[in-house]
């Protein structure tokens, strides 16, 4: 089976409306690209994890619509242009898209990820590069967190650098459950994960089972009434939260209250320029400092009861 792609270059103000109109006119799917990609005029659009840019379009946008090969591409473009009241039908080009093994093609884009000293995140269709490493079998999915983003890597590296055999760990905003699984595989005894998204909880439970990790996952309401004595007390030796700066600031009293006396709090999802304001939100409860920075993101950490913020991690040697 094959398809035909219709390629239209338009200004920013028409990109989104035209995309919607093309779908209504019979396109199978539509994407918007930077028409200046690969040139000096290329302009990346950035958004923090979970926070998309306000407008997914560029000053010079390329709209690509997928259609059946036997469809009337001109009629589709004409109908879409009329629907959004363009003065003329925009010019377009077409290109053939042959069928392919899309599963294999998608899988080829995901290789094992090496994190820290000894951690490997390995998709199920790959062999572990180092069978003696700390192996997490994890496929890309709907729940955010495969170790590819700097914030996830920073938290994983912190956990590896601070193993806590027999201690308790709370992963708040657990997503795929990857941080909870790292803690468990590093010897933590009582590990819990919490996320507001029931689909993330379902994914985390499946991932933990696949990796042989006994971890309790909850949505917040269930966590508040968890029957396990440690969870009911609500305090853990290590609390890690990889979310975003705004919710982290709002949750400062709650997350700080989950840390047991002498325990550690680790936060990420924080840009370097946001570190001071996030630390300030936690200052009444716990003193936080930057542990490490990666690609403009930082991990903050601190110990409950310690009067001063810890020194940043040293990378010397």
């Amino acid at each position: 089976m094959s398809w035909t792609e219709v390629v239209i270059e338009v200004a920013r103000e028409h990109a989104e409306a035209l995309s919607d109109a093309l779908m209504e006119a019979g396109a199978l799917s539509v994407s918007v690209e930077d028409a200046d990609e690969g040139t000096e005029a290329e302009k990346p659009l950035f958004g923090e994890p979970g926070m998309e840019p306000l407008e997914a379009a560029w000053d010079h946008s390329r709209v690509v619509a997928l259609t059946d090969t036997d469809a009337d591409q001109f009629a589709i473009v004409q109908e879409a242009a009329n629907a959004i009241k363009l003065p003329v039908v925009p010019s377009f080009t077409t290109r053939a898209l042959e069928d392919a093994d899309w599963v294999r093609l998608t899988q080829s884009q995901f290789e094992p990820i090496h994190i820290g000293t000894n951690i490997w995140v390995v998709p199920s269709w790959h062999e572990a590069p180092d069978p003696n490493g700390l192996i997490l079998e994890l496929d890309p999915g709907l729940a955010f967190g495969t170790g590819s983003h700097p914030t996830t890597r920073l938290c994983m590296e912190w956990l590896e650098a601070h193993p806590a055999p027999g201690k308790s760990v709370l992963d708040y905003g657990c997503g795929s459950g990857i941080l909870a699984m790292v803690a468990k595989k590093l010897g933590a005894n009582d590990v819990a994960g919490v996320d507001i998204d029931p689909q993330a909880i379902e994914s985390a439970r499946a991932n933990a089972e696949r990796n042989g990790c006994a971890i309790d996952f909850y949505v917040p309401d269930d966590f508040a009434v968890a029957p396990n004595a440690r969870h009911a007390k609500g305090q853990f030796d290590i609390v890690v939260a990889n979310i975003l700066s705004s919710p982290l600031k709002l949750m400062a009293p709650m997350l700080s209250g989950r840390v047991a006396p002498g325990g550690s709090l680790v936060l990420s999802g924080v840009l370097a320029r946001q570190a001071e304001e996030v630390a300030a939100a936690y200052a009444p409860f716990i003193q936080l400092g930057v542990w490490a920075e990666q690609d403009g993101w930082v991990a903050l950490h601190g110990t409950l009861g310690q009067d001063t913020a810890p020194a940043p991690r040293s990378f010397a040697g």
Side-chain angles (χ1 to χ4, degrees), residues 178-200:
I178 189 170
L179 300 181
M181 289 188 291
V182 169
K184 190 68 178 181
K185 284 181 174 284
L186 286 169
N189 180 33
D190 180 30
V191 182
V194 178
D195 202 286
I196 62 172
D197 183 358
Q199 195 168 37

PDB file of all heavy atoms in Angstrom, residues 178-200:
ATOM      1  N   ILE A 178      10.259   5.029  36.203  1.00  0.00           N
ATOM      2  CA  ILE A 178      11.672   4.719  36.001  1.00  0.00           C
ATOM      3  C   ILE A 178      12.515   5.049  37.230  1.00  0.00           C
ATOM      4  O   ILE A 178      13.414   4.282  37.600  1.00  0.00           O
ATOM      5  CB  ILE A 178      12.207   5.449  34.744  1.00  0.00           C
ATOM      6  CG1 ILE A 178      13.617   4.946  34.407  1.00  0.00           C
ATOM      7  CG2 ILE A 178      12.167   6.951  34.900  1.00  0.00           C
ATOM      8  CD1 ILE A 178      14.105   5.428  33.045  1.00  0.00           C
ATOM      9  N   LEU A 179      12.240   6.166  37.912  1.00  0.00           N
ATOM     10  CA  LEU A 179      13.049   6.522  39.076  1.00  0.00           C
ATOM     11  C   LEU A 179      12.783   5.571  40.240  1.00  0.00           C
ATOM     12  O   LEU A 179      13.711   5.181  40.957  1.00  0.00           O
ATOM     13  CB  LEU A 179      12.768   7.966  39.498  1.00  0.00           C
ATOM     14  CG  LEU A 179      13.060   9.032  38.444  1.00  0.00           C
ATOM     15  CD1 LEU A 179      12.749  10.418  38.999  1.00  0.00           C
ATOM     16  CD2 LEU A 179      14.504   8.959  37.980  1.00  0.00           C
ATOM     17  N   ALA A 180      11.524   5.189  40.415  1.00  0.00           N
ATOM     18  CA  ALA A 180      11.199   4.222  41.467  1.00  0.00           C
ATOM     19  C   ALA A 180      11.900   2.898  41.207  1.00  0.00           C
ATOM     20  O   ALA A 180      12.406   2.246  42.137  1.00  0.00           O
ATOM     21  CB  ALA A 180       9.684   4.027  41.534  1.00  0.00           C
ATOM     22  N   MET A 181      11.972   2.488  39.935  1.00  0.00           N
ATOM     23  CA  MET A 181      12.624   1.220  39.599  1.00  0.00           C
ATOM     24  C   MET A 181      14.131   1.293  39.832  1.00  0.00           C
ATOM     25  O   MET A 181      14.738   0.322  40.303  1.00  0.00           O
ATOM     26  CB  MET A 181      12.303   0.835  38.156  1.00  0.00           C
ATOM     27  CG  MET A 181      10.858   0.409  37.948  1.00  0.00           C
ATOM     28  SD  MET A 181      10.541  -0.271  36.307  1.00  0.00           S
ATOM     29  CE  MET A 181      10.730   1.176  35.278  1.00  0.00           C
ATOM     30  N   VAL A 182      14.744   2.421  39.510  1.00  0.00           N
ATOM     31  CA  VAL A 182      16.176   2.584  39.776  1.00  0.00           C
ATOM     32  C   VAL A 182      16.436   2.452  41.269  1.00  0.00           C
ATOM     33  O   VAL A 182      17.358   1.741  41.698  1.00  0.00           O
ATOM     34  CB  VAL A 182      16.680   3.951  39.261  1.00  0.00           C
ATOM     35  CG1 VAL A 182      18.082   4.231  39.772  1.00  0.00           C
ATOM     36  CG2 VAL A 182      16.683   3.968  37.730  1.00  0.00           C
ATOM     37  N   ALA A 183      15.622   3.123  42.074  1.00  0.00           N
ATOM     38  CA  ALA A 183      15.801   3.060  43.527  1.00  0.00           C
ATOM     39  C   ALA A 183      15.665   1.620  44.019  1.00  0.00           C
ATOM     40  O   ALA A 183      16.456   1.159  44.855  1.00  0.00           O
ATOM     41  CB  ALA A 183      14.776   3.960  44.213  1.00  0.00           C
ATOM     42  N   LYS A 184      14.664   0.916  43.516  1.00  0.00           N
ATOM     43  CA  LYS A 184      14.442  -0.467  43.948  1.00  0.00           C
ATOM     44  C   LYS A 184      15.609  -1.347  43.558  1.00  0.00           C
ATOM     45  O   LYS A 184      16.091  -2.166  44.359  1.00  0.00           O
ATOM     46  CB  LYS A 184      13.148  -0.996  43.327  1.00  0.00           C
ATOM     47  CG  LYS A 184      12.697  -2.336  43.895  1.00  0.00           C
ATOM     48  CD  LYS A 184      12.265  -2.204  45.335  1.00  0.00           C
ATOM     49  CE  LYS A 184      11.763  -3.517  45.898  1.00  0.00           C
ATOM     50  NZ  LYS A 184      11.307  -3.396  47.295  1.00  0.00           N
ATOM     51  N   LYS A 185      16.104  -1.207  42.331  1.00  0.00           N
ATOM     52  CA  LYS A 185      17.206  -2.037  41.881  1.00  0.00           C
ATOM     53  C   LYS A 185      18.525  -1.689  42.592  1.00  0.00           C
ATOM     54  O   LYS A 185      19.445  -2.504  42.624  1.00  0.00           O
ATOM     55  CB  LYS A 185      17.363  -1.923  40.361  1.00  0.00           C
ATOM     56  CG  LYS A 185      16.311  -2.705  39.577  1.00  0.00           C
ATOM     57  CD  LYS A 185      16.515  -2.571  38.083  1.00  0.00           C
ATOM     58  CE  LYS A 185      15.568  -3.470  37.303  1.00  0.00           C
ATOM     59  NZ  LYS A 185      15.971  -4.879  37.321  1.00  0.00           N
ATOM     60  N   LEU A 186      18.582  -0.497  43.165  1.00  0.00           N
ATOM     61  CA  LEU A 186      19.765  -0.107  43.936  1.00  0.00           C
ATOM     62  C   LEU A 186      19.661  -0.535  45.398  1.00  0.00           C
ATOM     63  O   LEU A 186      20.532  -0.209  46.200  1.00  0.00           O
ATOM     64  CB  LEU A 186      19.979   1.411  43.838  1.00  0.00           C
ATOM     65  CG  LEU A 186      20.523   1.920  42.501  1.00  0.00           C
ATOM     66  CD1 LEU A 186      20.437   3.429  42.427  1.00  0.00           C
ATOM     67  CD2 LEU A 186      21.965   1.449  42.297  1.00  0.00           C
ATOM     68  N   GLY A 187      18.590  -1.239  45.745  1.00  0.00           N
ATOM     69  CA  GLY A 187      18.501  -1.818  47.083  1.00  0.00           C
ATOM     70  C   GLY A 187      17.510  -1.199  48.027  1.00  0.00           C
ATOM     71  O   GLY A 187      17.401  -1.635  49.183  1.00  0.00           O
ATOM     72  N   ALA A 188      16.772  -0.150  47.586  1.00  0.00           N
ATOM     73  CA  ALA A 188      15.769   0.435  48.468  1.00  0.00           C
ATOM     74  C   ALA A 188      14.728  -0.622  48.827  1.00  0.00           C
ATOM     75  O   ALA A 188      14.394  -1.490  48.016  1.00  0.00           O
ATOM     76  CB  ALA A 188      15.105   1.633  47.808  1.00  0.00           C
ATOM     77  N   ASN A 189      14.215  -0.534  50.029  1.00  0.00           N
ATOM     78  CA  ASN A 189      13.291  -1.556  50.517  1.00  0.00           C
ATOM     79  C   ASN A 189      11.849  -1.207  50.200  1.00  0.00           C
ATOM     80  O   ASN A 189      11.147  -1.924  49.489  1.00  0.00           O
ATOM     81  CB  ASN A 189      13.466  -1.737  52.028  1.00  0.00           C
ATOM     82  CG  ASN A 189      12.533  -2.782  52.596  1.00  0.00           C
ATOM     83  OD1 ASN A 189      12.222  -3.756  51.922  1.00  0.00           O
ATOM     84  ND2 ASN A 189      12.086  -2.583  53.818  1.00  0.00           N
ATOM     85  N   ASP A 190      11.386  -0.095  50.723  1.00  0.00           N
ATOM     86  CA  ASP A 190      10.001   0.322  50.579  1.00  0.00           C
ATOM     87  C   ASP A 190       9.949   1.459  49.565  1.00  0.00           C
ATOM     88  O   ASP A 190      10.410   2.571  49.832  1.00  0.00           O
ATOM     89  CB  ASP A 190       9.480   0.776  51.951  1.00  0.00           C
ATOM     90  CG  ASP A 190       8.039   1.231  51.889  1.00  0.00           C
ATOM     91  OD1 ASP A 190       7.291   0.711  51.053  1.00  0.00           O
ATOM     92  OD2 ASP A 190       7.679   2.123  52.672  1.00  0.00           O
ATOM     93  N   VAL A 191       9.393   1.194  48.382  1.00  0.00           N
ATOM     94  CA  VAL A 191       9.381   2.185  47.308  1.00  0.00           C
ATOM     95  C   VAL A 191       7.945   2.421  46.857  1.00  0.00           C
ATOM     96  O   VAL A 191       7.195   1.463  46.630  1.00  0.00           O
ATOM     97  CB  VAL A 191      10.235   1.742  46.109  1.00  0.00           C
ATOM     98  CG1 VAL A 191      10.250   2.824  45.025  1.00  0.00           C
ATOM     99  CG2 VAL A 191      11.660   1.425  46.559  1.00  0.00           C
ATOM    100  N   ALA A 192       7.584   3.685  46.725  1.00  0.00           N
ATOM    101  CA  ALA A 192       6.251   4.043  46.255  1.00  0.00           C
ATOM    102  C   ALA A 192       6.356   5.081  45.152  1.00  0.00           C
ATOM    103  O   ALA A 192       7.296   5.884  45.116  1.00  0.00           O
ATOM    104  CB  ALA A 192       5.407   4.594  47.406  1.00  0.00           C
ATOM    105  N   GLY A 193       5.391   5.062  44.236  1.00  0.00           N
ATOM    106  CA  GLY A 193       5.306   6.058  43.178  1.00  0.00           C
ATOM    107  C   GLY A 193       3.918   6.656  43.151  1.00  0.00           C
ATOM    108  O   GLY A 193       2.928   5.956  43.366  1.00  0.00           O
ATOM    109  N   VAL A 194       3.836   7.951  42.888  1.00  0.00           N
ATOM    110  CA  VAL A 194       2.553   8.655  42.853  1.00  0.00           C
ATOM    111  C   VAL A 194       2.489   9.483  41.573  1.00  0.00           C
ATOM    112  O   VAL A 194       3.472  10.118  41.179  1.00  0.00           O
ATOM    113  CB  VAL A 194       2.394   9.587  44.070  1.00  0.00           C
ATOM    114  CG1 VAL A 194       1.066  10.346  44.000  1.00  0.00           C
ATOM    115  CG2 VAL A 194       2.475   8.795  45.371  1.00  0.00           C
ATOM    116  N   ASP A 195       1.324   9.465  40.925  1.00  0.00           N
ATOM    117  CA  ASP A 195       1.124  10.296  39.741  1.00  0.00           C
ATOM    118  C   ASP A 195      -0.356  10.632  39.640  1.00  0.00           C
ATOM    119  O   ASP A 195      -1.213   9.817  40.006  1.00  0.00           O
ATOM    120  CB  ASP A 195       1.582   9.574  38.468  1.00  0.00           C
ATOM    121  CG  ASP A 195       1.902  10.544  37.341  1.00  0.00           C
ATOM    122  OD1 ASP A 195       0.947  11.107  36.753  1.00  0.00           O
ATOM    123  OD2 ASP A 195       3.093  10.763  37.057  1.00  0.00           O
ATOM    124  N   ILE A 196      -0.659  11.826  39.122  1.00  0.00           N
ATOM    125  CA  ILE A 196      -2.054  12.235  38.987  1.00  0.00           C
ATOM    126  C   ILE A 196      -2.732  11.571  37.802  1.00  0.00           C
ATOM    127  O   ILE A 196      -3.957  11.581  37.705  1.00  0.00           O
ATOM    128  CB  ILE A 196      -2.177  13.771  38.844  1.00  0.00           C
ATOM    129  CG1 ILE A 196      -1.452  14.259  37.580  1.00  0.00           C
ATOM    130  CG2 ILE A 196      -1.641  14.477  40.086  1.00  0.00           C
ATOM    131  CD1 ILE A 196      -1.687  15.737  37.280  1.00  0.00           C
ATOM    132  N   ASP A 197      -1.964  10.980  36.894  1.00  0.00           N
ATOM    133  CA  ASP A 197      -2.500  10.386  35.675  1.00  0.00           C
ATOM    134  C   ASP A 197      -2.696   8.881  35.867  1.00  0.00           C
ATOM    135  O   ASP A 197      -1.715   8.143  35.986  1.00  0.00           O
ATOM    136  CB  ASP A 197      -1.540  10.653  34.513  1.00  0.00           C
ATOM    137  CG  ASP A 197      -2.072  10.132  33.175  1.00  0.00           C
ATOM    138  OD1 ASP A 197      -3.162   9.524  33.164  1.00  0.00           O
ATOM    139  OD2 ASP A 197      -1.392  10.325  32.157  1.00  0.00           O
ATOM    140  N   PRO A 198      -3.936   8.384  35.884  1.00  0.00           N
ATOM    141  CA  PRO A 198      -4.166   6.950  36.053  1.00  0.00           C
ATOM    142  C   PRO A 198      -3.493   6.113  34.975  1.00  0.00           C
ATOM    143  O   PRO A 198      -3.072   4.983  35.233  1.00  0.00           O
ATOM    144  CB  PRO A 198      -5.692   6.820  35.981  1.00  0.00           C
ATOM    145  CG  PRO A 198      -6.210   8.171  36.365  1.00  0.00           C
ATOM    146  CD  PRO A 198      -5.201   9.138  35.822  1.00  0.00           C
ATOM    147  N   GLN A 199      -3.369   6.665  33.757  1.00  0.00           N
ATOM    148  CA  GLN A 199      -2.704   5.930  32.682  1.00  0.00           C
ATOM    149  C   GLN A 199      -1.218   5.764  32.981  1.00  0.00           C
ATOM    150  O   GLN A 199      -0.626   4.719  32.680  1.00  0.00           O
ATOM    151  CB  GLN A 199      -2.907   6.660  31.359  1.00  0.00           C
ATOM    152  CG  GLN A 199      -2.572   5.812  30.146  1.00  0.00           C
ATOM    153  CD  GLN A 199      -3.045   6.446  28.858  1.00  0.00           C
ATOM    154  OE1 GLN A 199      -2.990   7.664  28.698  1.00  0.00           O
ATOM    155  NE2 GLN A 199      -3.516   5.634  27.930  1.00  0.00           N
ATOM    156  N   ALA A 200      -0.608   6.777  33.589  1.00  0.00           N
ATOM    157  CA  ALA A 200       0.798   6.667  33.989  1.00  0.00           C
ATOM    158  C   ALA A 200       0.956   5.592  35.060  1.00  0.00           C
ATOM    159  O   ALA A 200       1.917   4.816  35.027  1.00  0.00           O
ATOM    160  CB  ALA A 200       1.310   8.006  34.495  1.00  0.00           C
TER     161      ALA A 200
END
